[in-house]
Amino acid sequence: MELLDNLALGFSTALLVQNVLYCFVGVLLGTAVGVLPGIGPTATVAMLLPITFSFEPVTALIMLAGIYYGAQYGGSTTAILINLPGESSAAVTALDGHEMARQGRAGPALAAAAIGSFVAGTVATVALAAAAPPLASVALKFGPADYFSLVLFGLIVSIALARGTALKALAMIALGVLLGTVGQDIYTGTPRFVFEQRELYGGIDFVSVAVGLFGVAEILRNLENEQTRTAIVSKVINLWPTREDRRRIVAPILRGTGLGAALGVLPGGGHVLASFTSYAVEKRISRRPQEFGRGAIEGVAGPESANNAAAQTSFIPLLTLGLPAHPVMALMIGAFIVHGITPGPNVINDEPALFWGLIASMWIGNVLLLLLNLPLIGLWVRMLRIPYQVLFPMIILFAAIGTYSLNSNAYDVYAIAFFGILGYILIKCGCEPAPLLLGFVLGPLLEENLRRALIISRGDPSVFLTRPISAALLALAVVALVVAVLPTIRRRRAVVFAEED
Amino acid sequence: MERRRSFPDVLAGGIFVLIGGAFVVGALGYELGTPTRMGPGAFPLLVGAAVVALGLAIAVKGLVAGEVISFGPIPWRAVAVIVLAVLFFGFTIRRLGFVPTTAVTAMLTTLASTRVRLLTAVAVAAGLTVASTLIFVVGLQLRIPLWGPWLGF
């Protein structure tokens, strides 16, 4: 019954007035950026991170987490109503959800998405609470060599799941790791690649990298083709699904939740993979596969449950290993560090109130999202009328102010422009920005553990192969790399992702 | 998948080679150390070499069997204006203070859109300046002076 005690501690933390309040602010903002195309949770979390520095650590993390899973909810709203997924994982929801909306059944589609997300969020929160402690105790046995292999494994798996060619994703990771070496060396204090500029001694701030890659680059992409958005569906009536609908969504929700909870743990956009897999599964086992693509409610309920469950369980590697599964998680690592907490297996023992409070807040956040989304759907639709000409200057301005307020360092602001342009060019060349950010955040960890492991082994590199945990992780990394590069499997991946385009 | 020469692939490869190469050259200037005690240059040298190798592979693959991607138009005006706005913000925030810097940055950024009308731009810039002053300075107590030394404060 330890789990119950822990959850009780969590809820007593999460139910404090200021925590509920900021949880609400987080999911509200998350829903808003999920609804608005052109700004995603990564850029939002990056912009708001500096603001949360004055908060209590647990409050800050609750709010940032709320933005992340709130965006998953919001993304499905626009996917259903105007066939414009605000978030990549909602792309598959648009297939049947928008079709339902065109048939005048937007209400049941939104309800199916919201109910599915809520059930998935609840189950996945319990899964997170149950799975995290044993994993964390395993992780405590990790030595530097094991950690090096773990980080390497995490980075490699993230390319196996990313879209685009494996070669480019690998290059983006390596480039991220390389840029992470700018600043003072941890062991000798030698300033590296700083061009004699004192402002660069602390390294490039990851907030600048994230805002540049996911904010500025995205804005430039959107300004390539300026067009006015039109909301086709303006009124949503009849929210409640019929008895037939309710019967049809039960099984897809449960299957989607299971799939999502399992796939969410994988690094590199597990939630996108989860929603696509769930859609494929539902279509295959349905007795009416011909309805898919023409407004099948199963095609909304399953994927929506899957991506929300995955959003929840992607906190597992973060909280137990200190390994981010998603760019937003990478930013959360930064949030932990700023508050003087090293993310990893020690968090659960050193900061139990924070750990369990964060988990409990996710369930509270899911309740708030259910309340926010169904009755207020009209408000979200109206938000789509905000013209992009107002939105993008706001993003740039808030990004600049937020980044500057981090350290009052002008170089952090210049870095936004640099990474915006670099990211824009690379994205245009078919490279995804997420691996670069993951590499950038994990690079210093990689270097530190590599050097520490070699000091302990007196320079003998075979330590990575003789320690069983490390050897197993490296073997898995090789398998993941082979899977990512092998053409036959790549083709199958292309099929999984083909429906997005 | 159609196979042919791909300009974006070659460009991406070139960027990786260039940045990776710059870091390799830089890393050689630092102490490399021994395997037991790696110096500050060793890790960047290894990773830089990996970036160069991957970049070369991407470029070569792009020449013979590239990914077919359309590069698409480049919004030059937006690129120039946004970079200028961000650099302006970084350079003048300490010197001009929060209010003037924010106003100019917002105004510049608004002009990135080709469809914007001057009146709209002014209105958006004014609105954003008021909003961000209220949010960041009044609400969040950011320690940035409202008016800077260049204005005689």
Side-chain angles (χ1 to χ4, degrees):
Chain A
M1 286 301 96
E2 208 188 341
L3 183 64
L4 288 183
D5 290 340
N6 288 332
L7 284 177
L9 170 68
F11 276 102
S12 65
T13 313
L15 284 171
L16 292 176
V17 177
Q18 79 267 27
N19 289 345
V20 174
L21 185 72
Y22 280 105
C23 184
F24 178 76
V25 172
V27 295
L28 188 73
L29 279 170
T31 312
V33 299
V35 167
L36 291 169
I39 175 165
T42 311
T44 312
V45 170
M47 283 193 299
L48 293 180
L49 197 59
I51 295 175
T52 63
F53 288 178
S54 56
F55 296 1
E56 289 283 309
V58 63
T59 311
L61 290 168
I62 283 174
M63 184 177 119
L64 296 174
I67 294 173
Y68 175 61
Y69 56 78
Q72 311 294 330
Y73 265 75
S76 58
T77 306
T78 41
I80 291 170
L81 292 181
I82 57 167
N83 201 16
L84 201 82
E87 257 289 274
S88 51
S89 55
V92 69
T93 311
L95 296 175
D96 279 284
H98 185 60
E99 202 53 44
M100 285 181 73
R102 283 174 52 180
Q103 294 164 9
R105 307 212 318 127
L110 289 166
I115 296 167
S117 299
F118 176 72
V119 172
T122 308
V123 174
T125 303
V126 176
L128 172 56
L135 252 174
S137 59
V138 171
L140 277 174
K141 299 196 179 80
F142 279 28
D146 306 324
Y147 250 104
F148 172 82
S149 304
L150 176 71
V151 173
L152 200 64
F153 167 71
L155 287 174
I156 303 251
V157 173
S158 76
I159 59 160
L161 295 176
R163 302 179 64 218
T165 72
L167 204 56
K168 283 180 184 165
L170 206 55
M172 287 297 265
I173 290 179
L175 185 62
V177 174
L178 196 57
L179 291 165
T181 62
V182 172
Q184 272 184 316
D185 174 33
I186 34 166
Y187 284 99
T188 60
T190 313
R192 298 188 289 192
F193 313 110
V194 296
F195 306 105
E196 314 266 308
Q197 303 293 314
R198 211 149 241 301
E199 285 87 348
L200 281 173
Y201 275 32
I204 303 166
D205 204 286
F206 68 96
V207 173
S208 307
V209 180
V211 167
L213 288 178
F214 291 89
V216 176
E218 184 64 30
I219 287 170
L220 291 175
R221 291 280 291 173
N222 288 329
L223 287 175
E224 282 174 5
N225 293 306
E226 286 188 67
Q227 45 194 312
T228 35
R229 286 193 296 264
T230 43
I232 305 158
V233 183
S234 52
K235 237 197 172 91
V236 179
I237 41 165
N238 250 343
L239 220 51
W240 196 241
T242 61
R243 178 193 293 238
E244 167 73 2
D245 287 335
R246 273 178 282 166
R247 197 183 54 73
R248 281 172 64 177
I249 61 175
V250 174
I253 286 178
L254 295 178
R255 279 192 292 266
T257 304
L259 265 173
L263 291 173
V265 184
L266 296 173
H271 60 298
V272 181
L273 187 75
S275 58
F276 281 98
T277 313
S278 164
Y279 189 80
V281 167
E282 291 309 325
K283 193 172 174 181
R284 192 159 302 162
I285 64 172
S286 169
R287 261 173 286 157
R288 290 163 289 201
Q290 72 280 2
E291 276 186 29
F292 278 78
R294 298 200 182 87
I297 198 165
E298 292 94 337
V300 178
E304 274 306 308
S305 315
N307 82 43
N308 211 53
Q312 228 69 279
T313 52
S314 58
F315 281 88
I316 292 179
L318 174 77
L319 291 171
T320 56
L321 306 171
L323 202 66
H326 185 273
V328 173
M329 299 296 133
L331 292 167
M332 298 277 290
I333 285 199
F336 273 104
I337 292 171
V338 163
H339 288 287
I341 304 163
T342 313
N346 290 317
V347 175
I348 193 168
N349 295 323
D350 297 351
E351 305 272 350
L354 180 142
F355 183 89
W356 295 104
L358 180 60
I359 289 179
S361 84
M362 291 182 197
W363 189 77
I364 296 171
N366 273 291
V367 176
L368 291 172
L369 279 169
L370 198 61
L371 298 177
L372 265 176
N373 270 270
L374 289 182
L376 292 180
I377 199 80
L379 181 81
W380 300 120
V381 176
R382 223 167 299 145
M383 243 185 66
L384 283 167
R385 302 226 176 95
I386 298 179
Y388 197 61
Q389 292 171 1
V390 177
L391 201 59
F392 83 83
M394 186 171 94
I395 299 171
I396 301 260
L397 188 64
F398 282 18
I401 299 172
T403 326
Y404 179 76
S405 70
L406 280 173
N407 310 308
S408 301
N409 185 343
Y411 278 69
D412 290 341
V413 182
Y414 302 151
I416 302 178
F418 175 79
F419 282 97
I421 299 296
L422 180 70
Y424 176 64
I425 299 171
L426 288 172
I427 291 169
K428 264 178 119 48
C429 293
C431 301
E432 267 205 281
L436 196 155
L437 186 66
L438 288 183
F440 182 82
V441 172
L442 292 176
L445 263 176
L446 208 59
E447 179 178 13
E448 190 184 337
N449 284 301
L450 171 70
R451 286 165 77 174
R452 193 180 292 161
L454 285 176
I455 289 173
I456 294 172
S457 76
R458 297 177 188 281
D460 179 11
S462 71
V463 63
F464 296 106
L465 298 173
T466 49
R467 283 187 65 100
I469 300 176
S470 166
L473 285 165
L474 284 180
L476 283 171
V478 171
V479 171
L481 195 62
V482 171
V483 169
V485 175
L486 264 190
T488 46
I489 303 175
R490 284 193 59 74
R491 227 170 288 142
R492 206 169 303 153
R493 269 177 65 217
V495 173
V496 176
F497 285 114
E499 278 155 296
E500 186 174 346
D501 301 312
Chain B
M1 192 164 65
E2 201 188 327
R3 302 199 155 230
R4 59 161 192 203
R5 187 169 298 186
S6 157
F7 166 70
D9 275 6
V10 178
L11 178 62
I15 293 173
F16 288 124
V17 172
L18 206 71
I19 301 181
F23 272 85
V24 167
V25 172
L28 288 172
Y30 304 118
E31 202 185 323
L32 293 179
T34 61
T36 314
R37 291 219 170 263
M38 285 168 90
F43 187 75
L45 181 68
L46 284 173
V47 182
V51 172
V52 171
L54 288 166
L56 279 176
I58 291 170
V60 169
K61 188 163 163 282
L63 285 174
V64 289
E67 242 186 310
V68 182
I69 318 163
S70 64
F71 197 71
I74 297 174
W76 288 110
R77 170 173 162 158
V79 172
V81 167
I82 288 177
V83 168
L84 187 70
V86 171
L87 294 182
F88 175 85
F89 184 92
F91 188 71
T92 59
I93 180 80
R94 209 188 293 248
R95 299 172 171 88
L96 280 176
F98 188 88
V99 175
T101 304
T102 304
V104 175
T105 308
M107 184 70 203
L108 270 176
T109 322
T110 326
L111 297 175
S113 165
T114 46
R115 296 187 167 194
V116 77
R117 270 170 306 185
L118 193 65
L119 201 66
T120 328
V122 173
V124 171
L128 284 177
T129 309
V130 174
S132 47
T133 310
L134 287 177
I135 296 174
F136 289 96
V137 182
V138 180
L140 294 161
Q141 312 270 310
L142 227 66
R143 288 171 186 280
I144 303 174
L146 287 179
W147 309 94
W150 273 9
L151 298 169
F153 287 90

